[in-house]
Amino acid sequence: MTISPGLGTLPEGGRVDFDRLRAERRRRLVDAMRARQVDVLLLGRPANLIYAAGVRQLWTAGARPWGPGCVVVAGTGRVHLMSTWDEGVPAEIPRSDLFGLSWNPAKTTANLKAIPGLSEAHRIGTDGLSVGTRQLVAALAPTAELVDGAPVVGEARSHKTADEVACLVTAAAAAEAALSAMVDVLRPGISERQLLAVAAQRLASLGAPVLPSQAAACALHGRLRRTLTDRAVGPGELVALTPAASFAGYEGSLSRTWLPAGSHPSPDQRDMARRCRGGLDAVVEACRPGTTGADLLQRWEKATGSAASAGLTVHGVGLGVEPPLIGDGVGAGAVLAPDTVVAVQSWVAGARGGGFLQKDLVHVTTEGPRVLTRFSSGPVGGDDA
Amino acid sequence: MIRGAPIPDAPDLARMRAERHAKLQEQMEAHGLDGLLLIGSSNVAYATGAGSPTSDSGRAYLFRPMALLGRGAPSPHLFTPYREGAPPELTDEWVHPALYSELEESAPVIAEAVGRLVGAGARLGVDELTHPLAEALSDWEVVSASAAVGAAKLCKTPDELACIRAAQRINELAMADVQPTLRPGVRQTDLSARFLRRVFELGATGSCIDPIWQVMPATRGEGPWTTHGDVAFPTPTTDRFLRDGDVVWVDTGIDFHGYASDFGRTWIVSETPRPSARQRAQYQRWRTVVDAVLERCKPGVTALELGRAAVDANGGTKPWIEHFYLAHGVGTDSAEMPLIGTDLGEAFDERMVMQPGMVLVLEPVIWDDGAAGYRSEDIVAVTDDGWVALSDYPYDPFEDR
């Protein structure tokens, strides 16, 4: 499939076929349920709701408390959704399979009880838990066993269909636009806050106003920071530019390290950039089915000469960030699967503070790694570095 | 005055964190909890004061900070991938590397940390769990933390109110720059672009909700189908063009040091926005409802009484949408207790008694089938003898000047 990344639709179709995308996702989810003998999934996480129901709902930030927002019944293949209206709900979910938002848990329980196939379920999976979830499941299906539903949805989500990859590339292209907008205004005196403001404006004016990560820029005088500050960029100071964009729920993100206009790279900076990119390239090259987290960490250490625990982060990307997570002391045992997409981030800290950061999205295929993000490595990390 | 203390012009963040910690300790004592383990974004921020980047739920789940409080301990323990977000008083003794509650492999590490810092077999309040976390805590008595945390959060300290007011001020200043751009041919996402640019420039620490600029249908029937037959709101923003005469319900929220704003207004798209007599009457009725509620708003009054005042002022009809409420609180979450007029019912509202420090976002809706409707949101804090406004934005183009 040729991808022509753009946010608008074309009269002839042409771009992402969303009907097909939703049908394939739903088929994969129901297959995963059957393979793991899970009869019913109660889902509460926004990305899982998008995956199962294809619904376009209001985006809110942060980790929200768990509650049942969507019910998938393997036996009937039906997806029941908590939505008070049908706007944003795809046609394959009939109005009769919608139930309204309620503040009153008793009403929600009553709505759930009416769902065909739920009360006779043997195994019910949830993608999160509250203290009351066990009682809720017992009330819905007295003989059912409560199991972890996250691996079921995770298995379905990890494999990316061609349409999903097209969404990821489109989101990546939007993130690249935000990165370009930040590079345009990067000069001494501009603050991290102003850089985020520019990136956010650019993304929203493209038609992609959801900001999956609001850590867009960090002036690298010390350690890599992710929380927003008013700090201004100094002359000659490296800046990590780390935008992320969302298209139909799919996240595109990349990171580059740049110098403000008028600055020239120092030998130290060039050295950090060379090591950072060397580590990134070594890991990207190894992003093939079957590679373990331990392999990736080892390759990065060999290429950079630094300890991987603080420098390499690899995680899944699809409808936002998803497992596996490799780095920060976890994920050595994770195994890369075919047709998944991972973000690979390499960070090399300088001996006197600061450092160099680069991140790309990589499609893991049986034919080898395919880098989905595209952007110059900048004035320090360029190919002539 | 809030329990005798004024709301400061600028919040003292260190004092605010200390007071919140004391409140959580008090509630742990009251609810017989030996420890609190919190993983919800807003709860961790409340308990520790730690900043973390505002992000999509997927990122927030995988990279989430965790707070662990022991009863009687002087500070909370913070486990975070964002060390830089920890407040200065949390020294290395209290700040630890992230624990990944999403990952099976982290379960034994979490169990070890809880055992070491709170003690084996303790009674632990949790705000929520993941399956790996539940497995990690199988040797503890795990109970819901919501009563304890909810009680701590319900009444804001003067510093918390200053944060909410500051968040709201940023939101309103941004809107003062957005509203003049509301002309035919502008898209909803163009408004978001201007808004996001300005809120970050003005000092927001995050945008917590996709900004809403919903075009309201003239009648319920022309809008989306709903389960209850009432109006659908809020629906997400798209690249929809705004056209002359569109009635737009605006709703946005930003974050300032962990506290949310909530901005709601009704606007009309036009080169020369002039509401009709019918539209002016909708606004007047909204004003009447809000004034009637505020007239009665003071400590000791129940949510039920405030709800009834609103219904009476609206001629006996409930002036809010079926799935909503007359008012909600705002704090570390954009909609939190106290709620007034939800489907939790009258008994719930009767038990909810106004106290100093509670925050009410009043958002009655005057629906006028055939001519859409009017909805705005005004924020007040309950004071020792009444209320004080935390929001301050004009009602253009409805206000007579």
Side-chain angles (χ1 to χ4, degrees):
Chain A
M1 177 164 125
T2 313
I3 301 167
S4 69
L7 298 168
T9 53
L10 300 173
E12 77 281 17
R15 288 195 168 133
V16 176
D17 182 338
F18 282 107
D19 290 336
R20 181 175 60 199
L21 176 142
R22 294 194 309 275
E24 287 181 348
R25 286 195 307 213
R26 192 193 279 217
R27 189 164 59 240
R28 290 191 55 79
L29 183 56
V30 173
D31 285 352
M33 291 171 73
R34 288 181 181 146
R36 289 172 180 260
Q37 278 123 37
V38 170
D39 305 307
V40 169
L41 280 175
L42 300 180
L43 303 175
R45 300 208 165 175
N48 289 342
L49 265 62
I50 295 174
Y51 192 83
V55 64
R56 185 169 53 81
Q57 290 183 325
L58 186 65
W59 180 87
T60 55
R64 65 172 73 166
W66 190 85
C70 176
V71 182
V72 188
V73 182
T76 61
R78 278 163 75 181
V79 174
H80 305 260
L81 184 68
M82 181 189 276
S83 179
T84 305
W85 46 80
D86 62 359
E87 176 151 326
V89 178
E92 64 269 18
I93 300 181
R95 289 174 179 172
S96 55
D97 290 352
L98 301 181
F99 55 98
L101 171 81
S102 176
W103 298 96
N104 191 334
K107 290 190 182 175
T108 298
T109 304
N111 283 328
L112 293 171
K113 272 188 172 166
I115 291 175
L118 187 47
S119 63
E120 52 275 33
H122 296 296
R123 278 159 58 85
I124 294 182
T126 63
D127 60 348
L129 291 171
S130 66
V131 172
T133 303
R134 201 161 289 280
Q135 290 94 301
L136 170 70
V137 168
L140 296 174
T143 60
E145 178 193 357
L146 170 62
V147 300
D148 187 358
V152 183
V153 199
E155 181 181 302
R157 277 178 58 181
S158 70
H159 171 105
K160 302 299 182 291
T161 66
D163 287 309
E164 290 184 288
V165 173
C167 287
L168 285 161
V169 169
T170 305
E176 289 155 10
L179 180 47
S180 185
M182 286 192 284
V183 166
D184 273 355
V185 297
L186 186 60
R187 57 184 60 87
I190 196 165
S191 68
E192 294 173 356
R193 169 180 298 293
Q194 286 169 307
L195 289 165
L196 170 60
V198 165
Q201 181 180 34
R202 177 77 174 123
L203 287 169
S205 62
L206 288 170
V210 164
L211 304 171
S213 166
Q214 296 175 19
C218 172
L220 294 169
H221 66 299
R223 58 195 296 166
L224 183 62
R225 293 164 291 115
R226 297 301 192 179
T227 50
L228 185 59
T229 77
D230 297 321
R231 194 175 184 284
V233 174
E237 189 168 74
L238 294 175
V239 184
L241 302 172
T242 60
S246 179
F247 174 62
Y250 290 87
E251 176 174 325
S253 63
L254 75 166
S255 300
R256 290 293 183 270
T257 300
W258 223 264
L259 272 176
S263 299
H264 299 283
S266 69
D268 264 11
Q269 291 173 337
R270 283 191 186 278
D271 178 60
M272 287 191 297
R274 195 159 34 236
R275 286 168 55 222
C276 175
R277 291 196 60 205
L280 185 73
D281 291 346
V283 171
V284 168
E285 174 52 31
C287 282
R288 296 165 187 274
T291 306
T292 66
D295 289 341
L296 296 180
L297 293 162
Q298 206 172 23
R299 277 169 175 271
W300 190 88
E301 288 191 347
K302 200 174 155 202
T304 61
S306 301
S309 56
L312 178 67
T313 310
V314 178
H315 59 73
V317 178
L319 290 166
V321 169
E322 59 187 39
L325 172 62
I326 297 162
D328 200 20
V330 297
V335 180
L336 296 187
D339 302 312
T340 57
V341 174
V342 291
V344 179
Q345 175 180 288
S346 177
W347 160 252
V348 167
R352 289 182 294 278
F356 198 92
L357 181 79
Q358 190 152 333
K359 178 174 85 172
D360 280 303
L361 299 189
V362 183
H363 189 196
V364 179
T365 77
T366 49
E367 283 86 50
R370 196 161 68 92
V371 179
L372 301 181
T373 34
R374 287 196 215 162
F375 209 87
S376 156
S377 285
V380 188
D383 294 328
D384 58 336
Chain B
M1 295 292 230
I2 310 297
R3 297 178 199 275
I7 302 174
D9 288 336
D12 180 333
L13 297 176
R15 179 176 60 194
M16 180 174 82
R17 292 190 296 266
E19 289 180 354
R20 291 190 311 211
H21 182 74
K23 281 186 169 195
L24 285 172
Q25 287 292 342
E26 204 176 285
Q27 291 301 325
M28 283 162 72
E29 189 75 37
H31 289 86
L33 300 173
D34 302 313
L36 273 178
L37 193 160
L38 306 172
I39 60 173
S41 302
S42 63
N43 288 335
V44 176
Y46 182 86
T48 65
S52 53
T54 304
S55 62
D56 181 60
S57 57
R59 193 180 299 271
Y61 287 125
L62 192 57
F63 293 102
R64 62 173 152 200
M66 182 188 285
L68 181 61
L69 284 74
R71 191 157 120 199
S75 295
H77 288 281
L78 168 68
F79 300 84
T80 180
Y82 311 110
R83 177 69 179 85
E84 67 277 16
E89 69 271 17
L90 289 189
T91 53
D92 287 348
E93 181 192 349
W94 304 102
V95 186
H96 314 275
L99 290 175
Y100 293 94
S101 57
E102 297 291 297
L103 306 176
E104 291 276 350
E105 69 176 282
S106 297
V109 194
I110 295 173
E112 189 278 323
V114 177
R116 181 163 38 87
L117 299 172
V118 179
R123 187 171 145 91
L124 207 57
V126 301
D127 56 347
E128 68 168 310
L129 292 157
T130 61
H131 284 272
L133 187 56
E135 184 194 312
L137 301 179
S138 55
D139 291 339
W140 278 267
E141 184 191 352
V142 174
V143 297
S144 171
S146 67
V149 175
K153 284 182 166 183
L154 183 61
C155 295
K156 275 64 183 171
T157 67
D159 292 311
E160 290 184 283
L161 296 174
C163 280
I164 296 167
R165 193 167 56 191
Q168 190 67 16
R169 192 72 196 135
I170 291 168
N171 199 328
E172 290 172 351
L173 286 170
M175 284 302 181
D177 286 334
V178 173
Q179 195 173 358
T181 70
L182 186 81
R183 315 268 284 272
V186 163
R187 299 172 308 156
Q188 289 175 323
T189 45
D190 294 330
L191 300 178
S192 300
R194 184 87 193 132
F195 175 73
L196 292 171
R197 168 111 189 199
R198 291 299 291 142
V199 293
F200 286 124
E201 286 177 346
L202 289 161
T205 34
S207 168
C208 314
I209 183 167
D210 183 12
I212 296 156
W213 325 91
Q214 184 174 332
V215 178
M216 300 311 295
T219 65
R220 289 190 185 93
E222 291 166 79
W225 174 88
T226 57
T227 54
H228 49 39
D230 206 339
V231 180
F233 180 84
T235 61
T237 286
T238 68
D239 59 356
R240 174 179 183 155
F241 285 109
L242 300 178
R243 303 181 64 201
D244 188 70
D246 280 348
V247 173
V248 176
W249 285 6
V250 180
D251 199 343
T252 63
I254 61 112
D255 176 271
F256 179 74
H257 290 291
Y259 288 84
S261 68
D262 192 355
F263 179 96
R265 284 291 181 267
T266 296
W267 291 348
I268 295 172
V269 180
S270 172
E271 293 293 338
T272 53
R274 269 187 228 108
S276 66
R278 192 168 168 184
Q279 287 173 319
R280 273 180 200 282
Q282 294 166 7
Y283 166 69
Q284 283 310 330
R285 181 166 279 235
W286 180 89
R287 186 77 265 162
T288 304
V289 169
V290 170
D291 289 345
V293 173
L294 291 178
E295 200 175 299
R296 285 160 185 79
C297 182
K298 62 179 183 189
V301 172
T302 69
L304 185 63
E305 289 172 84
L306 296 179
R308 283 194 177 142
V311 171
D312 290 347
N314 194 41
T317 311
K318 201 169 73 173
W320 58 91
I321 313 176
E322 191 59 35
H323 58 273
F324 263 25
Y325 27 51
L326 169 67
H328 61 86
V330 67
T332 56
D333 281 300
S334 58
E336 58 180 46
M337 291 295 170
L339 303 177
I340 304 180
T342 66
D343 65 357
L344 288 163
E346 292 200 342
F348 177 87
D349 284 13
E350 192 159 22
R351 287 193 300 271
M352 180 64 75
V353 181
M354 295 302 113
Q355 301 169 58
M358 279 187 177
V359 178
L360 296 178
V361 182
L362 295 166
E363 53 169 292
V365 167
I366 306 301
W367 189 256
D368 178 11
D369 214 46
Y374 188 88
R375 172 190 184 270
S376 280
E377 299 180 85
D378 277 1
I379 311 183
V380 300
V382 180
T383 60
D384 291 344
D385 53 6
W387 55 271
V388 61
L390 299 182
S391 59
D392 177 20
Y393 192 83
Y395 304 90
D396 293 352
F398 292 87
E399 222 165 21
D400 293 319
R401 297 209 165 201

